[in-house]
Amino acid sequence: MANIKMKFNGRNITSSAQLQRELTRSMEKQVEDSLKKAAGPGVRMKKTRDGYTFEGSPEQIERMTKRLR
């Protein structure tokens, strides 16, 4: 069995399970950052076990949905 060593986001990866966790964590962070950016000022974003919820005026929510398209 070959011993694989690689670096991802500054972390040493030594197993396929660890690589999978790091890739998943990276994608989740990217999605969360994109949602925060699209929400803009005045819209509250909460992470729940079912996903994300947003609170704001109807105009702010409409603006956010247009940014996500």
Side-chain angles (χ1 to χ4, degrees):
M1 188 159 99
N3 201 1
I4 300 171
K5 291 182 181 179
M6 65 183 292
K7 247 184 166 149
F8 182 77
N9 286 343
R11 293 179 177 215
N12 289 321
I13 307 293
T14 56
S15 71
S16 60
Q18 189 178 11
L19 178 61
Q20 182 180 0
R21 282 193 307 271
E22 291 300 323
L23 288 171
T24 302
R25 182 179 297 146
S26 178
M27 282 302 298
E28 287 173 351
K29 184 174 179 355
Q30 180 131 7
V31 167
E32 189 169 335
D33 290 347
S34 296
L35 287 172
K36 282 181 183 177
K37 186 177 176 185
V43 177
R44 261 163 87 203
M45 182 176 118
K46 292 181 185 176
K47 186 175 183 179
T48 65
R49 66 178 182 199
D50 298 325
Y52 295 94
T53 59
F54 297 92
E55 296 175 356
S57 69
E59 295 84 20
Q60 290 170 324
I61 300 296
E62 181 64 30
R63 218 174 305 132
M64 184 189 81
T65 57
K66 287 180 182 176
R67 287 185 192 132
L68 286 173
R69 290 184 195 163

